[in-house]
Amino acid sequence: MLWADSLQLAVRAITAQRLRSFLTLLGIAVGIAAVILLTSIGEGIHRFVLGEFTQFGTNVISAMPGKTKTGGSPSGLPSSARPLSLEDARSLERLPHVVAVTPNVRGNAEVEGNGRTRRTLIYGVNAKLPVIFRSTVQSGQFLPADDEGSARAFVVLGSKVKNELFGSENPLGQRLRIGGLHFRVIGVMAPKGQFLGIDLDDTAFIPAARAQELFNREGVDEINVAAEEGVPSSIVASAIKERLVARHGHEDFTIITQEEMLKTLSNILNVLTMAVGALGGISLLVGGVGIVTIMTIAVSERTGEIGLLVALGAPRRTILALFLGEAVALSALGGFLGLLLGFGLAQVIHFAVPALPVHTPLSFVLLAELVAISIGLAAGVLPARRAARLDPVEALRTE
Amino acid sequence: MALIELTGIERVFQLGDSEVHALTALDLSIGAGEYVAVMGPSGSGKSTLLNLLGLLDRPNAGTYRLEGRDVTTLSPDEQARVRSERIGFVFQSFHLVPRLTAAENIALPMTLAGIPVKERNVRVARALSGFGLENRADHRPDQLSGGQRQRVAIARATIMQPALILADEPTGNLDRHTGEEVVNLLEALNASGVTLVVVTHDQAMGARARRQLVMEDGRLKHDSGQPAHAPA
């Protein structure tokens, strides 16, 4: 029997029972739609979270004092570990594939200026910070590349701090007091928004040496390194490790590459997406049971027809193929309908709730359709085998 | 050479604890082009005989030679091929596929045999005009009269140009007039050389056949073709 004919006969059988077939394939459609919708939301969240992290660049490598095996970030409090120093940071600048290096000294301090006071997060860094974290200056300029020891007392304000202290006035050239030290404003950063609930604009940047002075600190909290685009972070990370071990005598620091962090995060989010997809899969299973039911009924109803097909010279495998084909056609159509439904719903959610990220990758779509077809195949096997094994004499006797 | 040769055919059904001998020690030979009516009361084994002749059933013992070839030992797929190419069935209840048109029903054996669409269309068109169904090609069975349905069924039975047509009470669901038409049609086919075996209750129809087989309790009680075998 020709393929096209088998397919045509299967489709004829499906269209002969429109309502019944529609309801059956609706079961599969709802299952596929649930899987597509849930995984779309999962994937959307995945992309959103990774996007949040990669806005700082994907090639950042950080070194922190102290050997931590659990990878937490330091609290900003001085620790008893041997600190990393400004010299350590400078020594990394000439390593291969390193684009920029900045020390990072953090602390909280009161900023007074224009007759107002605000407590804010102070970063002690150098001129390279915008390169590493992809920040842009809105007005004025970032910290100049002064010699670290004698860096001038300049400050660059985050947009939030600037607004709170100066409103719409021009802050450039104004004097500020940060925790008792005097600074002159030379620039304002472009707003960066929030990152996991932290306001990235409620900050002020001062030279690292000034921050050490301000917070009475020997070392730095962190050294941030930007590696060349396209070079694996692990290569650069091991070069950094080698250099710092050579300087410190042993490994008393921790290196975290963003690449690694993103990979771990991505894995976690993938598992999450698969988990919600599996939840949707339960309704797909129910849809599959619906196909088994309807195909079993179809075999009972068409017993006489099966007998006829045998009498007309159809081999068993043709009868098997006809009923299997019918089940697969039902589930494939249902799957297709489910794809449209799921994708449509995802888009509606995207428009109605723009805050909820939704993304439907093509691979999910193809996978879902494949799953639908395999479910049809699995669901059709039992009824189709029953059909193929009928005794033709008995089958022809039923009306 | 005989078209059909049955020797020592036994067919036993298991009904609960008891064995029912549907056919017992049956020897029968039917030549090519014969017109045979099989008669007898219900339960006499005539339907079982027809099923055996049509390879829908297997005997428990004995051999069945169709066109000189022992078909009892063939595999199910090989038997399906023989049914497809050599045997046409006509049923009392027509057995048309309700969702297919008359033309598609007629084409069904060719569809199952994998004959290309072009060839199918040519042969279906010829059959439709041959059986006076040109205006009914696109009608579904429920839009056809009983006589038209049986004509579609006969067209389907002959579309593969079989050597043998097995008809099981072909007029049983028809009124006398349309039944007459259908019998004429079958006899015309027989006249063109096709072997025709008809199972019937109808004495008048049975009498029209050139040879009558009367069955009783799974045995051949009377065979008008070979009086020697049938002591009255």
Side-chain angles (χ1 to χ4, degrees):
Chain A
M1 188 162 175
L2 305 174
W3 267 106
D5 289 325
S6 313
L7 189 71
Q8 207 214 343
L9 283 180
V11 171
R12 288 294 280 274
I14 289 170
T15 49
Q17 298 274 358
R18 276 168 219 276
L19 181 66
R20 195 166 95 178
S21 301
F22 174 73
L23 291 176
T24 308
L25 63 84
L26 196 62
I28 289 287
V30 167
I32 289 287
V35 170
I36 285 290
L37 187 62
L38 288 172
T39 49
S40 291
I41 293 174
E43 183 66 10
I45 289 172
H46 186 160
R47 294 195 174 213
F48 172 76
V49 172
L50 287 191
E52 287 275 281
F53 278 90
T54 48
Q55 63 178 319
F56 308 110
T58 51
N59 52 349
V60 178
I61 300 162
S62 300
M64 291 154 208
K67 181 76 195 149
T68 49
K69 292 207 166 76
T70 48
S73 85
S75 60
L77 294 168
S79 72
S80 59
R82 175 172 168 184
L84 292 168
S85 64
L86 293 179
E87 289 71 37
D88 286 332
R90 213 167 29 237
S91 76
L92 300 179
E93 275 169 10
R94 280 174 303 276
L95 285 176
H97 306 305
V98 167
V99 175
V101 179
T102 178
N104 200 327
V105 183
R106 277 184 302 241
N108 236 307
E110 246 166 35
V111 182
E112 294 171 56
N114 202 22
R116 291 179 189 146
T117 306
R118 181 174 182 82
R119 182 161 277 277
T120 190
L121 194 58
I122 311 292
Y123 283 97
V125 296
N126 69 15
K128 299 286 180 49
L129 179 106
V131 179
I132 298 167
F133 290 112
R134 295 188 183 166
S135 345
T136 45
V137 178
Q138 194 168 50
S139 60
Q141 58 169 92
F142 200 73
L143 299 173
D146 283 342
D147 187 50
E148 259 155 19
S150 57
R152 286 166 285 171
F154 291 144
V155 61
V156 177
L157 298 178
S159 62
K160 175 92 174 253
V161 178
K162 177 255 168 190
N163 286 338
E164 293 295 331
L165 293 182
F166 296 98
S168 56
E169 284 172 45
N170 182 6
L172 296 183
Q174 300 271 9
R175 286 183 175 282
L176 280 183
R177 275 166 62 92
I178 302 177
L181 297 177
H182 287 274
F183 289 88
R184 184 189 291 274
V185 180
I186 59 161
V188 177
M189 301 303 288
K192 271 200 116 166
Q194 303 229 330
F195 169 64
L196 301 178
I198 299 165
D199 192 343
L200 296 171
D201 301 322
D202 198 359
T203 51
F205 299 95
I206 59 175
R210 299 280 155 218
Q212 284 182 325
E213 191 182 334
L214 181 64
F215 300 121
N216 199 16
R217 203 80 63 76
E218 283 285 308
V220 301
D221 289 309
E222 215 174 281
I223 299 171
N224 304 117
V225 180
E228 239 170 69
E229 243 6 294
V231 176
S233 295
S234 53
I235 291 178
V236 184
S238 60
I240 292 171
K241 183 168 158 186
E242 212 172 290
R243 175 60 57 92
L244 289 179
V245 167
R247 288 178 60 86
H248 285 213
H250 58 281
E251 196 180 337
D252 56 356
F253 53 87
T254 304
I255 293 176
I256 294 177
T257 72
Q258 192 152 16
E259 199 176 84
E260 225 168 77
M261 207 175 74
L262 288 176
K263 213 181 277 171
T264 311
L265 195 64
S266 184
N267 283 344
I268 293 169
L269 292 167
N270 270 338
V271 170
L272 204 76
T273 304
M274 285 203 282
V276 291
L279 284 180
I282 293 173
S283 52
L284 203 54
L285 205 68
V286 176
V289 172
I291 289 194
V292 178
T293 310
I294 223 67
M295 288 312 296
T296 306
I297 292 173
V299 170
S300 308
E301 276 180 355
R302 306 218 298 261
T303 302
E305 194 182 312
I306 294 162
L308 171 77
L309 291 177
V310 175
L312 295 183
R316 305 265 148 178
R317 61 170 184 284
T318 299
I319 290 163
L320 191 79
L322 280 175
F323 280 89
L324 262 186
E326 214 172 305
V328 169
L330 267 178
S331 62
L333 279 173
F336 184 69
L337 191 72
L339 288 180
L340 294 181
L341 207 67
F343 190 71
L345 277 175
Q347 293 308 307
V348 166
I349 286 178
H350 187 62
F351 280 113
V353 196
L356 185 68
V358 171
H359 184 83
T360 316
L362 186 67
S363 60
F364 284 14
V365 170
L366 294 178
L367 203 68
E369 185 63 17
L370 271 180
V371 166
I373 288 172
S374 346
I375 281 183
L377 211 56
V381 164
L382 272 178
R385 273 167 59 126
R386 206 162 76 86
R389 285 180 179 177
L390 282 178
D391 173 16
V393 174
E394 287 293 322
L396 279 168
R397 208 172 288 155
T398 56
E399 293 291 306
Chain B
M1 184 188 70
L3 179 80
I4 294 170
E5 266 195 69
L6 300 181
T7 39
I9 293 289
E10 303 271 345
R11 185 70 179 100
V12 183
F13 292 109
Q14 202 73 38
L15 272 182
D17 291 340
S18 59
E19 286 188 340
V20 177
H21 289 260
L23 293 176
T24 313
L26 188 75
D27 297 316
L28 179 65
S29 168
I30 298 174
E34 271 200 77
Y35 175 11
V36 181
V38 184
M39 293 186 287
S42 32
S44 60
K46 51 189 198 307
S47 288
T48 306
L49 174 62
L50 203 72
N51 289 333
L52 281 174
L53 290 179
L55 293 176
L56 294 173
D57 200 0
R58 284 171 186 266
N60 297 86
T63 53
Y64 171 15
R65 289 178 167 278
L66 182 67
E67 296 179 311
R69 179 184 184 198
D70 184 358
V71 289
T72 42
T73 54
L74 294 181
S75 74
D77 277 6
E78 286 169 324
Q79 289 196 336
R81 223 183 132 90
V82 172
R83 279 197 299 272
S84 167
E85 290 169 358
R86 307 309 296 156
I87 304 172
F89 289 89
V90 177
F91 305 96
Q92 178 178 3
S93 51
F94 320 132
H95 276 298
L96 300 179
V97 180
R99 56 185 182 281
L100 300 182
T101 64
E104 286 166 332
N105 267 294
I106 293 172
L108 196 54
M110 295 191 287
T111 311
L112 292 171
I115 291 173
V117 183
K118 247 189 189 162
E119 165 86 15
R120 272 180 355 218
N121 290 342
V122 172
R123 276 158 76 170
V124 167
R126 208 186 301 143
L128 283 168
S129 66
F131 288 89
L133 291 162
E134 296 101 324
N135 313 325
R136 295 284 177 268
D138 297 324
H139 290 225
R140 277 188 281 112
D142 57 6
Q143 297 165 316
L144 298 173
S145 71
Q148 287 168 340
R149 286 185 210 180
Q150 197 58 300
R151 270 189 278 160
V152 170
I154 293 169
R156 181 182 64 195
T158 55
I159 200 79
M160 293 292 286
Q161 293 156 344
L164 172 64
I165 287 187
L166 301 172
D168 189 0
E169 307 271 9
T171 59
N173 280 0
L174 301 173
D175 60 55
R176 187 147 281 282
H177 176 66
T178 43
E180 179 78 19
E181 270 179 29
V182 164
V183 173
N184 287 338
L185 212 55
L186 287 172
E187 285 174 357
L189 287 170
N190 173 243
S192 71
V194 180
T195 310
L196 179 62
V197 178
V198 182
V199 165
T200 185
H201 270 111
D202 184 348
Q203 291 297 330
M205 190 189 167
R208 292 174 64 155
R210 258 168 282 143
R211 179 176 169 193
Q212 284 86 28
L213 303 176
V214 181
M215 302 210 35
E216 206 176 272
D217 292 334
R219 290 169 199 278
L220 207 54
K221 193 180 148 208
H222 172 76
D223 182 349
S224 70
Q226 285 161 302
H229 276 252

